[in-house]
Structures are given as structure tokens and as C-alpha cells.
Amino acid sequence: IRMKNYLKKKKDKVLPSTYDKLTTGDKFLALLYSKLLKERAEVIEPEITKDLCEIESDIGVLKGLEHRVKPFSSILDKVISDSLDYAGSFKKAAMHINDYVRYTFVIPDEIYVSKIDECLQKLSDMGYIVIDLKNNWNNEKFKGFKIF
């Protein structure tokens, strides 16, 4: 990524009032931590995808696999916006972003609760540790559970 050209393209789309206030050094740090997250996503994604495909027939249908890795531009947007919650620290913002690899299971309503429990158990059996479980059924953008 050529930082100068990328920043020019993104300038009008991403948080214009915040973005314009960033120094060149801050822009560099935001890009750096975003790139590190993207690289991490590309390293861990294949194993997670393999594991979820392994349990798919027991849980539901995996949908949207083409979107399982968050695009770099979205990661950068989130690092910049979330840094405001961490006194301008792009590093801390990046450390708290946990949806750069994401998956969606579609489960029929009548078995939804039992399949969520089964999914959590299977993930635990595979060595995954659930850090947080958020009920987003009231969220207009994403309806369902987010498991971190």
C-alpha cells in the first residue's frame, strides 16, 4: 500500500473531521496497526474456517464466507475511530478489535437456542475460549449473537 495515495482516497470517506486532524505520524501508526491486524487475520483465518466447516453440519449453515476477513479499509476505519476511546492510542484500539475475522451461522428458529449451546460446546471442545457473548437481536444492522 502506498500510504500517500491510500490516504488521499480514504480522506473524504473516513471520519473527515477526525482524520484531517491526524498528523502524518499518526496516519502512519494507524496504517501500521491496521496492517498488523490484517496480516494476523490472514494467518489465523484458514484454521478457524476449517474448524467451523467441520461443525457446520451439526450447527447450521455457514453464510457469507467471502466476508470472513474484514477488508483492510474497514480495519483502518475502525482503528482510527476506536482510538478515540483509548486516548488516541492506535495500538490499544487495534488490540481491542475482535471482529477482523468473522463468521455467520444461519440456524432455524425452532432449534436456535439449542444449536447456540451446541456450537459453544463444540468450540470449547476444539480449544476455543469464549471471551464474550453479545445478544444483538435488537441491533438493526446485525441480528443474532456475537461470540468473541
Side-chain angles (χ1 to χ4, degrees):
I1 292 175
R2 295 185 61 205
M3 187 170 89
K4 185 176 180 182
N5 291 339
Y6 183 80
L7 293 175
K8 280 183 182 175
K9 285 192 287 187
K10 293 301 291 176
K11 188 174 181 181
D12 296 327
K13 296 181 192 173
V14 182
L15 309 167
S17 62
T18 303
Y19 190 84
D20 288 342
K21 294 176 185 175
L22 294 179
T23 65
T24 300
D26 283 346
K27 290 174 185 175
F28 175 79
L29 288 173
L31 283 166
L32 173 69
Y33 288 115
S34 299
K35 186 173 181 343
L36 290 172
L37 280 182
K38 180 68 172 176
E39 288 174 358
R40 177 167 166 70
E42 290 170 352
V43 168
I44 65 174
E45 175 275 320
E47 185 70 22
I48 297 170
T49 300
K50 180 183 83 58
D51 289 344
L52 292 178
C53 286
E54 193 175 298
I55 66 171
E56 178 180 17
S57 62
D58 296 330
I59 303 301
V61 178
L62 274 170
K63 292 281 189 176
L65 281 175
E66 66 274 14
H67 304 291
R68 65 189 174 270
V69 176
K70 189 173 237 171
F72 177 81
S73 61
S74 296
I75 293 171
L76 178 61
D77 293 350
K78 192 157 181 148
V79 166
I80 292 170
S81 64
D82 288 6
S83 71
L84 300 174
D85 296 331
Y86 298 99
S89 172
F90 300 108
K91 181 179 180 179
K92 286 182 182 177
M95 289 172 52
H96 287 90
I97 294 173
N98 52 24
D99 66 342
Y100 51 93
V101 179
R102 64 268 177 97
Y103 299 86
T104 300
F105 272 114
V106 176
I107 303 168
D109 292 346
E110 58 275 2
I111 58 172
Y112 189 84
V113 173
S114 66
K115 290 299 177 179
I116 291 293
D117 291 340
E118 185 178 346
C119 180
L120 291 170
Q121 185 58 55
K122 286 183 179 291
L123 290 172
S124 177
D125 292 347
M126 295 172 128
Y128 291 92
I129 299 169
V130 175
I131 296 170
D132 194 12
L133 179 66
K134 291 185 180 178
N135 182 343
N136 278 4
W137 279 103
N138 293 326
N139 184 326
E140 288 301 315
K141 198 172 182 182
F142 174 83
K143 294 196 178 291
F145 282 96
K146 286 188 176 182
I147 302 169
F148 304 104

